[in-house]
Amino acid sequence: MINKLLRHGMHYASSSLLISIAGLISFPILTRALPIEEYGILSLLTTILGLFVALNKFGLQQSVLRFYSNELEEFQSSLFFIFIANSLCLSFFYLISIVLIQYLYPDAIPVKYFIPLYMSSILQSYKSIVINCFASDQKTIFVGLFNVFQKYTAVLMMLICIALVEGDAMSILYSILIADFITVFVITIPWFRTFTWHRYNPPFIKKIMLYGAPLMVVEFMQIAHAFIDRFLINYFMGAEHVALYSAPYSIAEIISAILLGSVSTALVPIYMGIWNSGEKERTAEFLSTVSDYFLLFFPVFIMGSYIVSGPVMNILATDKYADSAYILPIALTGLLVFSSTFIYSAGLKFKKSQNKVMQYVFESLILNVFLNIVFIEPFGIVASAWSTVVSYLWMSIRYYYASKEILKIHINIGYLFRGLLIAMIVYLCIYLLGFDENAIIDLLVNLFSSVIIGLLLFYLLDGAIQKKVNELFSSSFR
């Protein structure tokens, strides 16, 4: 099963790498084309877009992973019915909200922003639901290709809008909207080829909604958790500091997507499939193995990001953002800790314990807000980064102990200490090499050296990795 995870993970990893390259292309363009305050405003607007998308999806993308393979015939029709009904209800809600906001707070976010935000939210939620149908069918190559296509379409539209209009947050929002229209058209063609309209089943609709609605609330709170710090930074310090915080955080998100995004995407359908086949012990063994390697690689990834953070920010962003490079490894720590919840919350997914999931996400959100309010003013944006780490760690711990009652995932702390040892040796070697020519040479040398030294240490210190590598070499030379 680990081989299956690796195979599907490699499919997603290939697309994640290409998507990350697109992010590395668009990031320096945005930081240079937009004034620093506009970049901060764009960060806030894309957060609002994420919240809108979470409401529009109604947790249906999670319902796909849970029910798609079991009751396909009625599922598609029921799914489509719920999506349309929810979109119509939310459209009415958004309209009333905009009118009230403009009446009560005329100086709030201008109405012009809500039009592209609202339309993009519907299109992106539709894409998310449909693409999860293909992911549930294990069509990883198609999913990867489409994700790459939509990312590069977005980058192309962004470049066109910046070139033809002007460099501000509004033009970027409309570039996102145009890209969404194009990619929705593309994904709809293969989706409708497999779509068979049946009479929707009211009891099944109720089942989907009862499963998805709490997960919608969870996703909404998770997005709020991840990005509430930007609004608090904006309130206490202004949009410029939002930009200084968001820039290294964006790089951390790209790195996280390269390192673990593909594995996280492939992981859930695989362990859900094992569990649904009635193999509890095999599921626990599989997730324990995944946990071991997460703990092994975790400190090495953080140390690597610390080593390259300075050169990366100097190359990809302007000098205005270089001083906030220290945020990058802290932000990556939080993102990787959050990634661990895909492992440690498995038991709650199996038993559909949405109430507990909501409770733990809400606790973590409140903790994050509290820590930000207390520490932003005296310590600045670094307090927001560490608040996110602490709150995500709390969430992961709560998930683990609640899931433990359903499925016992063994945590081997020895793997974490082994990873820490490798991380310290890598850092010591890079420090002793002492390259300091210019940003590009420094980045390339440090990155190449870290990877080579790290891989060698992984091979020497982990027997399972040794065995796998030896098997690969043996089969290659037969």
Side-chain angles (χ1 to χ4, degrees):
M1 195 52 63
I2 287 293
N3 289 335
K4 184 178 181 181
L5 174 62
L6 291 174
R7 185 174 69 254
H8 288 291
M10 285 301 295
H11 293 161
Y12 288 120
S14 301
S15 62
S16 293
L17 179 60
L18 293 172
I19 290 170
S20 299
I21 292 172
L24 294 174
I25 293 170
S26 62
F27 176 77
I29 294 172
L30 285 172
T31 54
R32 286 164 172 80
L34 299 183
I36 189 167
E37 286 194 7
E38 283 291 318
Y39 186 82
I41 292 171
L42 179 63
S43 177
L44 296 175
L45 291 173
T46 52
T47 300
I48 295 172
L49 174 58
L51 294 171
F52 282 3
V53 171
L55 292 175
N56 273 98
K57 286 190 292 188
F58 200 74
L60 296 178
Q61 84 284 10
Q62 299 294 340
S63 297
V64 168
L65 296 176
R66 179 68 180 86
F67 300 112
Y68 184 79
S69 60
N70 293 338
E71 301 172 75
L72 178 60
E73 290 185 354
E74 292 184 339
F75 179 75
Q76 290 180 323
S77 301
S78 301
L79 190 76
F80 199 61
F81 175 83
I82 297 170
F83 175 75
I84 292 175
N86 182 57
S87 297
L88 290 174
C89 292
L90 283 176
S91 298
F92 183 69
F93 171 76
Y94 290 151
L95 179 62
I96 294 176
S97 299
I98 291 171
V99 172
L100 288 175
I101 290 172
Q102 285 299 299
Y103 178 76
L104 297 174
Y105 305 101
D107 295 328
I109 297 176
V111 174
K112 65 178 182 179
Y113 289 128
F114 281 96
I115 297 172
L117 287 173
Y118 163 69
M119 296 181 70
S120 280
S121 69
I122 294 178
L123 298 173
Q124 290 185 20
S125 58
Y126 169 81
K127 285 189 295 183
S128 176
I129 294 165
V130 173
I131 204 65
N132 266 17
C133 291
F134 290 105
S136 295
D137 276 340
Q138 304 292 316
K139 294 179 180 178
T140 53
I141 295 177
F142 175 82
V143 172
L145 289 174
F146 176 77
N147 286 333
V148 171
F149 171 74
Q150 69 173 344
K151 182 63 178 180
Y152 279 89
T153 302
V155 173
L156 178 61
M157 293 302 104
M158 180 197 73
L159 292 173
I160 292 173
C161 285
I162 288 176
L164 298 181
V165 189
E166 61 179 318
D168 62 4
M170 192 67 189
S171 64
I172 302 301
L173 280 185
Y174 273 104
S175 74
I176 294 171
L177 178 59
I178 295 169
D180 287 334
F181 271 115
I182 294 171
T183 50
V184 159
F185 176 77
V186 171
I187 194 64
T188 298
I189 295 173
W191 163 245
F192 272 18
R193 285 176 181 171
T194 63
F195 186 88
T196 304
W197 186 264
H198 292 264
R199 285 183 59 86
Y200 55 84
N201 185 332
F204 192 37
I205 287 177
K206 181 181 179 181
K207 184 178 180 181
I208 294 172
M209 293 180 67
L210 288 175
Y211 182 81
L215 295 177
M216 174 197 67
V217 177
V218 170
E219 183 177 7
F220 186 90
M221 289 193 296
Q222 285 176 338
I223 295 172
H225 182 290
F227 298 106
I228 191 67
D229 46 13
R230 288 157 173 76
F231 291 94
L232 293 170
I233 291 170
N234 183 60
Y235 178 79
F236 286 108
M237 305 179 73
E240 183 174 338
H241 285 85
V242 175
L244 293 173
Y245 180 78
S246 299
Y249 205 102
S250 296
I251 295 297
E253 288 178 323
I254 293 173
I255 295 173
S256 177
I258 294 173
L259 297 176
L260 288 180
S262 56
V263 175
S264 299
T265 304
L267 180 64
V268 178
I270 291 175
Y271 72 59
M272 289 297 291
I274 305 172
W275 177 267
N276 289 335
S277 66
E279 299 182 75
K280 180 177 179 179
E281 295 300 323
R282 190 163 163 238
T283 306
E285 181 182 349
F286 170 68
L287 286 171
S288 296
T289 303
V290 174
S291 172
D292 289 344
Y293 284 100
F294 173 82
L295 295 173
L296 178 65
F297 288 103
F298 176 79
V300 181
F301 290 158
I302 302 303
M303 182 58 73
S305 70
Y306 174 76
I307 291 170
V308 303
S309 58
V312 163
M313 290 301 297
N314 280 321
I315 294 169
L316 296 181
T318 62
D319 294 339
K320 295 178 291 187
Y321 299 94
D323 290 340
S324 61
Y326 65 93
I327 295 294
L328 196 158
I330 307 172
L332 182 63
T333 302
L335 291 169
L336 294 183
V337 170
F338 175 71
S339 295
S340 72
T341 61
F342 287 96
I343 305 169
Y344 302 125
S345 65
L348 297 179
K349 284 187 171 68
F350 298 145
K351 292 299 182 182
K352 296 180 284 187
S353 304
Q354 291 98 324
N355 290 336
K356 285 189 177 181
V357 172
M358 283 194 292
Q359 175 189 336
Y360 302 149
V361 174
F362 182 72
E363 290 175 1
S364 184
L365 171 61
I366 295 301
L367 178 60
N368 191 23
V369 171
F370 173 76
L371 293 174
N372 270 279
I373 291 174
V374 171
F375 295 110
I376 278 181
E377 284 195 288
F379 296 103
I381 59 176
V382 69
S384 291
W386 279 116
S387 297
T388 302
V389 174
V390 172
S391 56
Y392 274 149
L393 183 60
W394 172 261
M395 184 194 300
S396 188
I397 292 172
R398 293 285 276 163
Y399 275 151
Y400 171 75
Y401 280 103
S403 292
K404 192 176 178 182
E405 300 173 5
I406 302 161
L407 185 77
K408 186 173 178 59
I409 300 173
H410 179 64
I411 293 183
N412 191 336
I413 297 298
Y415 276 85
L416 179 62
F417 285 116
R418 201 180 307 172
L420 286 169
L421 176 62
I422 293 172
M424 294 307 298
I425 294 173
V426 169
Y427 175 75
L428 181 62
C429 292
I430 298 299
Y431 177 79
L432 293 175
L433 287 173
F435 289 97
D436 191 20
E437 299 294 329
N438 61 56
I440 296 177
I441 294 176
D442 193 25
L443 174 62
L444 292 175
V445 171
N446 286 349
L447 186 60
F448 180 77
S449 302
S450 299
V451 170
I452 296 299
I453 296 169
L455 289 175
L456 179 61
L457 290 171
F458 280 127
Y459 176 78
L460 293 175
L461 296 177
D462 189 86
I465 292 177
Q466 279 185 25
K467 182 180 178 181
K468 195 69 179 177
V469 172
N470 292 338
E471 288 175 358
L472 289 173
F473 273 102
S474 299
S475 61
S476 300
F477 290 104
R478 280 178 186 173

